[in-house]
Amino acid sequence: MTDIFDTVQLEKTGYCKKVHNGQWSVTLPKHRHLVRFHLVLKGHCNVTLSNKQTITLQPGELLLIADGKSHNVSSIPSIDGTSEERDISLSPFSGNTERVSSEMDLENRTEILYGYFGFRNEANFPILSFFPDEFLVTVPMRNQNLWLGEFLKIISKHNFDLNGGTQGSLRRLYEILFIEILRSCLSDITEAKSILRGMQDPHINKALKLIHNDPSISWSVKRLAEEVGMSRSRFAERFGALIGQGPISYLTDWRLQKAVTLLRQNDVSIQQIAILSGYQSSAAFTRAFSEKYGASPKTFRLKI
């Protein structure tokens, strides 16, 4: 799954630790293309969603909220919040621990790690479409998923020291954290289970690796089937059943996702990108790209 995220890419991450005392409330306005998360380090909080549902978070629990939906985080659900969009949602990590309330109440003190994952707007992969609007990671879930539990422990104990390249290391850590959370939440979704089984199926997983590792090859259903040791018809049927689209449709989507990534690198020409993405000519690449994204590669690059 990591090769998928290397292509669709987390465009940005942000996080900050806040200490709340007494009665307090924070409102986070809507911001699309972000997956926000709140990890309770100490105390507890109430998260009131836009549909008025309230979720209470206990120490060690983490809540993810997809597509940047507006919500309120507070000590008591009925308290109106002050907007914290600038501090929590959009600015880069400052390395600070901020005390939100001036009132000191050690007994009711709450410490929360606020953060977000931001995918680029064009990120498009079937497995991402199954991510739920909200997903709660409980302590028992952490105990069942050892990788996820360890990552959360590291993040919880981190001292937020930005020296020595720590910021880049933390960014990668947060990417891995998101992958582990994605694995956990998708394991309970029927449609997503099928894609995960496809990634674990020895034949389909090998085909996916062939496509991912070198999309520039002129892959056909027949050639992929031969590479993985299956008949053409059986391979096409199984690939479609598990992944949710045919091999060539998947290949086309993957090539264009790779192209988007390459377009962000100004030292690679559009002609080179066309070749690396498996197109025999720049014209064919431009037609396919424009049909998918509504703009030519050149225009798309200028808007990045």
Side-chain angles (χ1 to χ4, degrees):
M1 194 181 288
T2 52
D3 52 350
I4 293 170
F5 281 88
D6 284 340
T7 294
V8 297
Q9 291 183 333
L10 282 176
E11 188 174 58
K12 53 189 174 182
T13 58
Y15 40 94
C16 64
K17 178 183 175 183
K18 288 184 177 282
V19 178
H20 301 279
N21 292 285
Q23 293 189 354
W24 55 272
S25 179
V26 170
T27 296
L28 294 168
K30 179 179 177 62
H31 191 282
R32 293 190 61 203
H33 308 301
L34 293 182
V35 176
R36 290 192 176 108
F37 68 87
H38 309 314
L39 173 62
V40 177
L41 306 176
K42 183 178 181 181
H44 73 278
C45 69
N46 296 280
V47 180
T48 303
L49 307 172
S50 55
N51 62 3
K52 305 305 180 183
Q53 175 189 1
T54 297
I55 300 173
T56 299
L57 301 182
Q58 301 296 339
E61 293 187 332
L62 179 145
L63 178 68
L64 282 92
I65 301 175
D67 204 24
K69 290 180 171 59
S70 63
H71 57 282
N72 176 270
V73 187
S74 62
S75 56
I76 302 174
S78 59
I79 299 179
D80 291 332
T82 56
S83 175
E84 292 285 346
E85 177 76 12
R86 178 181 59 81
D87 294 329
I88 298 173
S89 300
L90 296 177
S91 62
F93 170 60
S94 63
N96 296 326
T97 297
E98 179 176 340
R99 195 172 301 281
V100 175
S101 172
S102 59
E103 177 185 355
M104 289 301 295
D105 187 348
L106 296 179
E107 183 177 349
N108 297 312
R109 172 174 169 160
T110 298
E111 297 181 11
I112 301 175
L113 183 66
Y114 294 88
Y116 63 83
F117 307 104
F119 288 100
R120 65 167 191 251
N121 297 353
E122 307 80 23
N124 178 26
F125 191 77
I127 203 165
L128 295 179
S129 66
F130 298 117
F131 197 84
D133 291 340
E134 301 91 28
F135 183 67
L136 175 63
V137 178
T138 63
V139 174
M141 290 172 62
R142 290 177 55 166
N143 294 336
Q144 291 176 1
N145 186 329
L146 297 181
W147 275 104
L148 177 57
E150 287 303 312
F151 280 125
L152 289 175
K153 284 180 182 178
I154 293 171
I155 290 171
S156 298
K157 294 179 179 179
H158 202 280
N159 61 6
F160 304 106
D161 178 13
L162 293 183
N163 296 324
T166 302
Q167 190 170 22
S169 299
L170 276 178
R171 180 188 177 95
R172 188 57 180 167
L173 180 63
Y174 274 74
E175 290 177 351
I176 298 172
L177 171 64
F178 185 78
I179 292 172
E180 291 304 317
I181 293 173
L182 189 64
R183 289 183 194 274
S184 294
C185 75
L186 296 183
S187 63
D188 293 326
I189 299 174
T190 302
E191 296 87 347
K193 282 182 181 178
S194 179
I195 293 180
L196 292 175
R197 283 198 302 270
M199 293 178 176
Q200 295 167 354
D201 180 286
H203 297 98
I204 302 306
N205 183 53
K206 184 176 180 180
L208 291 173
K209 286 184 176 180
L210 289 170
I211 291 172
H212 293 172
N213 292 339
D214 199 346
S216 64
I217 293 178
S218 298
W219 295 113
S220 64
V221 176
K222 180 181 179 182
R223 185 172 180 180
L224 285 168
E226 290 174 348
E227 289 283 350
V228 302
M230 297 180 71
S231 69
R232 183 186 184 283
S233 59
R234 177 60 178 154
F235 168 70
E237 179 184 359
R238 185 160 184 77
F239 192 102
L242 291 175
I243 303 302
Q245 61 186 134
I248 300 307
S249 175
Y250 181 95
L251 171 63
T252 300
D253 285 346
W254 182 259
R255 283 172 168 170
L256 294 176
Q257 285 291 325
K258 293 292 286 187
V260 168
T261 301
L262 291 170
L263 282 168
R264 294 171 180 269
Q265 303 174 20
N266 291 325
D267 58 338
V268 185
S269 70
I270 290 177
Q271 184 176 2
Q272 288 175 310
I273 293 173
I275 294 171
L276 292 171
S277 301
Y279 291 89
Q280 296 182 354
S281 68
S282 297
F285 168 58
T286 297
R287 283 195 299 271
F289 191 94
S290 300
E291 183 177 346
K292 177 75 172 180
Y293 296 112
S296 68
K298 181 178 180 179
T299 301
F300 182 90
R301 170 173 268 175
L302 291 173
K303 292 181 178 179
I304 296 175

